[in-house]
Amino acid sequence: MNENYQKILEKTISEHQKKQEIPTLLLHSCCAPCSSYVLEYLSEYFKITVFYYNPNIYPDEEYYKRVKEQQAFIARFPAKHPISFIEGAFEKERFYETVKGYEQIREGGERCFRCYELRLREAAGIAKEHGMDYFTTTLSISPMKNAAKLNEIGGRLAREYGVAYLFSDFKKKNGYKRSVELSHKYGMYRQDYCGCIFSKCEREQANEEKKHCENPSV
């Protein structure tokens, strides 16, 4: 049976509202555009710390561009409750070791699942270290990301680390569409690939194939 993670999230929020509680949340963010709608939505109900941990990003200049964009958005966004920021280590070799042997798996498969767990595991550890009530990730807002797998990993890590996972699927309620709108509103840099060298190559190959189909003589 498919879980409705949006309903689970709404129930969690409602329970805290009834108790007049504002729980703390460690929000792993993959980039500023994806975080935009999530912060707009959740900052009404949680005290959020954004955790930017993305050792998968390639090349280095792309990583630094994205982290600066994330910090700039947080500084400009008029949140109901203050939003703090933590930058994780840029551990490129840890990412490559995590996906070793799965490099040729297309985006959306086991390589990505291993990357999900790498980033969520780090988030769970930081959430426990800082005594947060919940941890979660912005990743599910992307149409390319498997929300069921993200929530499965998050739930498992929650049991392992003893910190509740905030079940969610931020694509719901037009979340992705709203993130695009907010990106335009704030003039954000919006990348055209997930982040790793493998997704970059896939996107470039797809663009070349599309260009060839449109212009067979090229």
Side-chain angles (χ1 to χ4, degrees):
M1 186 178 89
N2 293 328
E3 293 279 8
N4 187 322
Y5 294 108
Q6 178 60 33
K7 284 190 176 180
I8 295 173
L9 173 58
E10 289 172 357
K11 182 180 178 183
T12 300
I13 290 171
S14 177
E15 288 172 351
H16 285 294
Q17 283 190 301
K18 287 176 183 176
K19 298 176 184 177
Q20 297 185 318
E21 296 173 338
I22 306 171
T24 54
L25 169 67
L26 192 289
L27 175 66
H28 165 262
S29 177
C30 55
C31 63
C34 286
S35 76
S36 59
Y37 164 72
V38 180
L39 289 174
E40 180 184 63
Y41 179 17
L42 295 185
S43 64
E44 290 285 311
Y45 312 106
F46 296 87
K47 295 175 184 175
I48 300 174
T49 296
V50 171
F51 179 50
Y52 187 88
Y53 177 71
N54 300 291
N56 57 310
I57 303 299
Y58 174 90
D60 287 13
E61 54 265 32
E62 178 72 16
Y63 172 89
Y64 293 113
K65 190 172 185 177
R66 294 191 192 194
V67 75
K68 286 180 181 177
E69 195 71 33
Q70 180 71 77
Q71 291 172 302
F73 176 68
I74 292 170
R76 295 175 62 195
F77 183 69
K80 181 175 180 179
H81 302 291
I83 298 171
S84 55
F85 177 80
I86 297 173
E87 181 181 357
F90 186 27
E91 305 170 308
K92 294 179 287 185
E93 293 309 314
R94 187 177 176 192
F95 165 70
Y96 290 119
E97 185 62 32
T98 296
V99 301
K100 188 175 181 179
Y102 296 85
E103 294 89 345
Q104 302 308 312
I105 303 296
R106 292 191 64 82
E107 187 171 356
E110 184 61 31
R111 186 188 73 231
C112 292
F113 298 163
R114 287 171 170 258
C115 185
Y116 294 172
E117 178 153 353
L118 169 65
R119 291 185 278 176
L120 280 171
R121 180 172 291 280
E122 192 70 12
I126 294 295
K128 182 174 183 178
E129 179 184 328
H130 287 261
M132 309 296 280
D133 296 313
Y134 292 92
F135 74 101
T136 195
T137 179
T138 63
L139 286 167
S140 70
I141 199 169
S142 169
M144 300 295 291
K145 300 297 185 290
N146 187 321
K149 191 67 178 179
L150 286 163
N151 282 284
E152 174 197 316
I153 294 169
R156 173 162 47 81
L157 292 174
R159 294 188 293 274
E160 183 178 336
Y161 283 83
V163 182
Y165 184 74
L166 190 67
F167 292 97
S168 48
D169 184 355
F170 297 115
K171 288 185 289 292
K172 302 298 184 182
K173 299 182 71 175
N174 290 315
Y176 179 73
K177 179 182 177 183
R178 179 58 179 160
S179 75
V180 173
E181 293 171 353
L182 287 167
S183 296
H184 289 310
K185 177 180 177 180
Y186 285 89
M188 280 190 272
Y189 162 65
R190 194 175 182 90
Q191 61 281 349
D192 66 352
Y193 67 103
C194 173
C196 72
I197 188 172
F198 312 112
S199 65
K200 187 175 192 295
C201 290
E202 279 187 37
R203 183 56 56 92
E204 289 172 351
Q205 182 180 356
N207 288 340
E208 281 299 312
E209 290 174 357
K210 181 180 179 182
K211 185 167 74 173
H212 180 70
C213 291
E214 292 172 347
N215 302 281
S217 61
V218 174

